[in-house]
Amino acid sequence: MDKTRTLGIVALGAAAATALAGCAGGADDADGTELTVWLTTQEPNQREAVDALVAAYEEKADVTITVEERSVDQHKDAMRQIAGTDSGPDVYWYWEGSGLGGELVDVGMSLDLTDYYAQYGWEDRFTPASLAGITQYGGFHGVPWTLQGEGIYYNKELFAQAGVEDVPATYDELVDAADALVDAGITPIEFGGTVNWDVMRLLDSLVETECGAQTADELNTGDGDWGAEPCVTDAFTELAAWGDAYLNDGFMGISNDDAAQLFFSGQAAMSLEGTWYNAQVVDNGLDPEDVGIFPFPTGTDRLYGFGEAYYVNAATDHPDEAAAFLDFLTSEEGQEIAGSNWGALSVNKDVPVDESNPLNAVWADVFAASDAGMYTNNDQNFSTAETTEYWRIQNSVLTGDLDPADAGAEFQAYRDANG
Amino acid sequence: MATVTLVTQGRTRRRTPPNHRLSRALPYLVPTLVLYGWFLVYPMLDAVRLSFFEWSGFRTDDPRWVGIDNYVRLFTQDAVFWTALRNSVVWVVLSLVIPTGIALLLALGLNRRMVGRNLMRAVFYIPAVFASITVAAMWRWIYNPTLGFVNQALAGVGLGDWAQSWLGDPRFALASIFVASIWQGVGFSMVLFLAGLQTVPAELMDAAKVDGASTWQRFRAVTVPALRPTTVVVVILTIINALKVFDLVVGMTGGGPAQSTQVLALWSYTQSFANHQFGMGGAVATVLLIVTLALVIPYMAWSMREEER
């Protein structure tokens, strides 16, 4: 055997030995459990908090956590693609609404956590409002992560300039305030129409206002007939009126981010936003003391909002470890690390309000005053296809291409044909 | 095996029969054909197959055979489909007339000797290099109703009353997007026409001049026929690009307001990936495929016949 050939055989043997050693090392490393968690793409401050939460938990438990982030649409697509396979995550973040998280519950992707709720005493940990989204499908699907309230942020100085002294407590008072702002040459409220869901918040709130809680629930989440309820026409009529008189010029042609600049720069007096807006108000240079918040005065005492949760994949091989991780995330220790990066209030009822932003305390009062529960954004209530049609009809009314009197019937016709 | 032997200028060359040539080429073609078939032909056929099913996109949810129901719904119940089809057809027609015409004029102009000719060519071509989504973001700002260049410029010259919500008003939105597409697309067609103009025989042009032909007569009788192969390419690419316009619409309006700027390619995507109605999405894609073939194949056949004359 010549020298070169000998060296080659030795090198091959060494490579094979290295590969085998690598395999053995992998097996040793696999003693600890690996959990994969799928999220939507996080803001930098949220990403830092995620890293801190993972690091704190990995120190406590013999578990390696791998976090994967995707954009909103990619996250939804990825969940569809892994349904029924074993290639999905152990834990996934999702919205609780029936058209989103509920869809995954329906196809069996969410593990019913009833036993873990008993084991960890989670029923006593979370606020009743945040648990409502978890128990709505029967059993316990998911662990609450945020409960987002939505209401009207207003510029106190612009209200004062327009002579609006009292915070509107009824819908008529809200319209009066908007009229006063128009008279003072101030844009009453800003919306960005290109994203559809921004203006949808106004329509959802008008449906709640005009129809009342029970009928609104039947329409949004039940078998209510959009074509048969006169209140639906009233809601779309009011929507058209707001579009004509009170919204920023050209709102249909700009995004929510562009529209928000009108509020941040003092060119619009109100903005219909959620608890996540507290941080944005500060980040965009507004003194939170100059900003007030009040719920959209629907007259039903229900707060507009939605919940987000962490779910355990029904296909996971590690349900116990996944539940233990979620227990840490929502514990007092975990919630202190999370801070108010995802919402103004913690879903854990024992965690005090983060006072670093004074608007968080305002939300605490708003939540406390909303005894009648919540009504949810319709893009979470409806299937995604229904949502697309809802937005088309909403925008057609706003552009004047559809008579408000025909809007409800048109939406109902779509639901009947595609139900 | 029968072969034909040619003798050319003292050298002997064998002409291989066509079937033998194919068998020799096949090993080189197979990898490409497999990739092409798997990644292009199969998905296309599968989209057509899917159009006869109802499917949410969940792997756990088995597609359900519904026959032609998706097509019936598309043609009779889908409030957006006809808008999307009309917009796509309008986009094709406008694309064949306006940017193609501008590109030809630019090419004719920039084919002449002039100072700064290459710089001008580059300036007109540069927008074609940008990603469509970047162009969309740029033009969205240009059209911004309060801060955008268009309305600011109109106000600056005393035409503030003409200011519009260019992307927020269904009357203007599609045309506004189309203007952006002209800005982006005209340079590419211009370069193709410029390349075609280099093939116009100089001796023919000189002969026409000697015969006293006017500029228009030289253009019609010499330039246009010489540009026919280039024109075929430009027209086919324009039709295909117009039918699959997607990025600009997504980036500028998302199909809104109220679906007024929706086009077939985007509606197919929306039905599948936003509405999670993959059967309906497949049906729209199939219609788009049929429309594309219905426009391109007859034109190609006509142009090939013209070529053979």
Side-chain angles (χ1 to χ4, degrees):
Chain A
M1 189 179 289
D2 64 17
K3 194 175 178 182
T4 307
R5 204 169 165 191
T6 307
L7 279 173
I9 289 171
V10 169
L12 269 176
T18 306
L20 287 171
C23 289
D28 286 342
D29 290 345
D31 284 348
T33 304
E34 290 184 22
L35 286 180
T36 306
V37 181
W38 284 8
L39 309 173
T40 50
T41 307
Q42 304 291 294
E43 297 287 333
N45 59 329
Q46 293 171 335
R47 180 69 226 199
E48 280 179 31
V50 167
D51 291 342
L53 282 163
V54 166
Y57 187 65
E58 285 180 339
E59 271 189 26
K60 288 174 175 293
D62 188 18
V63 170
T64 303
I65 310 281
T66 303
V67 175
E68 293 182 21
E69 295 179 5
R70 291 174 178 80
S71 68
V72 167
D73 289 336
Q74 283 182 330
H75 185 54
K76 292 177 183 173
D77 290 344
M79 292 306 297
R80 277 172 191 278
Q81 287 158 9
I82 58 92
T85 75
D86 57 2
S87 57
D90 300 289
V91 173
Y92 61 93
W93 174 98
Y94 228 66
W95 305 266
E96 293 171 357
S98 55
L100 296 171
E103 190 179 37
L104 299 184
V105 172
D106 283 346
V107 297
M109 290 191 66
S110 164
L111 184 69
D112 185 348
L113 304 176
T114 299
D115 291 344
Y116 295 112
Y117 268 75
Q119 179 184 338
Y120 289 106
W122 283 342
E123 272 192 271
D124 296 328
R125 171 178 291 181
F126 300 113
T127 59
S130 61
L131 268 181
I134 299 301
T135 55
Q136 63 182 318
Y137 308 111
F140 289 85
H141 284 280
V143 170
W145 180 241
T146 66
L147 183 63
Q148 308 283 13
E150 293 160 277
I152 296 179
Y153 286 70
Y154 68 98
N155 184 317
K156 293 176 180 174
E157 189 182 325
L158 294 180
F159 264 42
Q161 277 182 32
V164 182
E165 294 175 356
D166 297 322
V167 174
T170 66
Y171 180 66
D172 288 341
E173 288 177 13
L174 177 62
V175 173
D176 290 343
D179 283 330
L181 287 159
V182 170
D183 291 343
I186 300 165
T187 300
I189 191 165
E190 53 83 1
F191 285 99
T194 58
V195 293
N196 302 302
W197 43 258
D198 199 22
V199 182
M200 179 199 69
R201 293 173 185 158
L202 177 59
L203 175 58
D204 291 349
S205 298
L206 290 170
V207 170
E208 176 84 358
T209 304
E210 298 295 337
C211 296
Q214 186 179 341
T215 304
D217 277 350
E218 287 170 5
L219 292 168
N220 299 336
T221 60
D223 295 327
D225 187 340
W226 284 74
E229 295 289 349
C231 64
V232 171
T233 297
D234 296 339
F236 278 105
T237 303
E238 288 301 305
L239 178 72
W242 278 81
D244 286 341
Y246 305 133
L247 273 57
N248 47 299
D249 288 340
F251 68 94
M252 286 296 285
I254 61 173
S255 70
N256 62 311
D257 287 336
D258 296 342
Q261 294 305 319
L262 298 174
F263 182 75
F264 298 140
S265 62
Q267 295 178 70
M270 295 185 280
S271 183
L272 179 43
E273 286 286 349
T275 42
W276 58 86
Y277 211 52
N278 292 0
Q280 293 181 33
V281 164
V282 175
D283 290 347
N284 284 277
L286 283 180
D287 183 346
E289 298 292 351
D290 295 336
V291 174
I293 302 168
F294 62 92
F296 196 99
T298 58
T300 65
D301 285 336
R302 296 204 300 183
L303 182 63
Y304 190 39
F306 59 90
E308 299 157 332
Y310 276 103
Y311 297 82
V312 176
N313 186 350
T316 181
D317 291 329
H318 307 293
D320 295 342
E321 290 84 352
F325 176 58
L326 297 186
D327 181 60
F328 172 74
L329 284 187
T330 55
S331 67
E332 289 181 54
E333 182 186 354
Q335 288 293 287
E336 278 176 19
I337 296 171
S340 58
N341 286 304
W342 285 274
L345 308 177
S346 171
V347 291
N348 185 322
K349 62 187 179 190
D350 296 325
V351 175
V353 174
D354 180 349
E355 294 179 350
S356 60
N357 185 326
L359 293 174
N360 292 344
V362 178
W363 270 114
D365 294 338
V366 171
F367 271 101
S370 303
D371 297 332
M374 300 186 81
Y375 65 103
T376 301
N377 303 47
N378 270 335
D379 61 345
Q380 296 216 24
N381 292 323
F382 297 155
S383 71
T384 48
E386 284 175 334
T387 299
T388 300
E389 180 66 358
Y390 186 61
W391 288 342
R392 185 188 70 81
I393 290 170
Q394 156 198 297
N395 293 339
S396 296
V397 168
L398 284 164
T399 57
D401 292 328
L402 182 63
D403 190 323
D406 298 329
E410 193 152 330
F411 186 54
Q412 188 61 39
Y414 177 85
R415 294 186 105 183
D416 292 342
N418 295 275
Chain B
M1 185 180 295
T3 56
V4 179
T5 303
L6 293 179
V7 179
T8 314
Q9 293 181 345
R11 287 189 298 169
T12 303
R13 183 159 67 88
R14 284 182 185 173
R15 176 184 284 175
T16 312
N19 58 346
H20 193 198
R21 282 199 305 235
L22 181 64
S23 65
R24 286 170 62 182
L26 211 51
Y28 301 99
L29 288 173
V30 163
T32 306
L33 285 174
V34 168
L35 290 172
Y36 185 82
W38 184 250
F39 289 109
L40 284 167
V41 178
Y42 169 69
M44 229 183 317
L45 296 176
D46 201 47
V48 176
R49 181 190 67 84
L50 209 53
S51 71
F52 297 104
F53 289 83
E54 184 179 292
W55 187 45
S56 68
F58 279 108
R59 292 171 62 107
T60 47
D61 180 17
D62 290 331
R64 188 170 65 86
W65 171 263
V66 293
I68 61 167
D69 279 7
N70 288 328
Y71 291 94
V72 172
R73 284 171 62 195
L74 201 62
F75 293 128
T76 61
Q77 294 170 8
D78 190 323
V80 181
F81 169 73
W82 290 107
T83 304
L85 180 62
R86 186 197 65 212
N87 287 344
S88 289
V89 171
V90 166
W91 197 279
V92 170
V93 173
L94 291 179
S95 298
L96 286 173
V97 176
I98 301 174
T100 307
I102 295 173
L104 180 59
L105 290 174
L106 284 173
L108 290 169
L110 293 174
N111 199 40
R112 294 161 179 268
R113 289 194 184 128
M114 65 168 80
V115 177
R117 183 175 70 168
N118 288 339
L119 178 66
M120 294 277 281
R121 287 176 174 179
V123 166
F124 285 113
Y125 182 70
I126 280 173
V129 176
F130 295 157
S132 292
I133 205 70
T134 312
V135 174
M138 198 167 76
W139 279 84
R140 210 172 55 227
W141 271 107
I142 289 172
Y143 286 131
N144 185 291
T146 49
L147 305 170
F149 169 78
V150 175
N151 282 355
Q152 296 275 355
L154 287 171
V157 297
L159 296 173
D161 290 346
W162 291 17
Q164 299 291 339
S165 174
W166 299 104
L167 298 176
D169 189 327
R171 292 174 300 167
F172 304 115
L174 190 70
S176 301
I177 303 172
F178 189 73
V179 169
S181 89
I182 294 174
W183 180 82
Q184 184 193 19
V186 80
F188 182 70
S189 297
M190 178 198 75
V191 166
L192 292 179
F193 278 127
L194 272 172
L197 286 172
Q198 312 314 309
T199 65
V200 177
E203 59 273 24
L204 276 183
M205 197 59 86
D206 291 340
K209 281 182 187 171
V210 170
D211 289 345
S214 66
T215 304
W216 169 249
Q217 286 171 323
R218 290 202 300 274
F219 172 73
R220 193 170 54 83
V222 180
T223 307
V224 170
L227 274 182
R228 178 169 290 136
T230 308
T231 308
V232 170
V233 171
V234 170
V235 166
I236 288 174
L237 287 179
T238 300
I239 291 172
I240 291 172
N241 286 333
L243 283 170
K244 68 187 181 74
V245 62
F246 179 92
D247 323 40
L248 272 182
V249 182
V250 169
M252 292 177 73
T253 63
Q259 306 290 7
S260 62
T261 59
Q262 194 58 260
V263 288
L264 285 177
L266 178 55
W267 189 233
S268 171
Y269 174 86
T270 304
Q271 286 281 29
S272 297
F273 295 100
N275 294 351
H276 302 137
Q277 295 182 330
F278 282 80
M280 292 292 284
V284 179
T286 304
V287 171
L288 179 58
L289 177 67
I290 291 168
V291 171
T292 307
L293 295 177
L295 290 175
V296 170
I297 290 177
Y299 179 72
M300 283 184 74
W302 172 82
S303 61
M304 285 166 74
R305 273 202 309 273
E306 291 293 304
E307 197 68 26
E308 286 168 4
R309 279 188 192 177

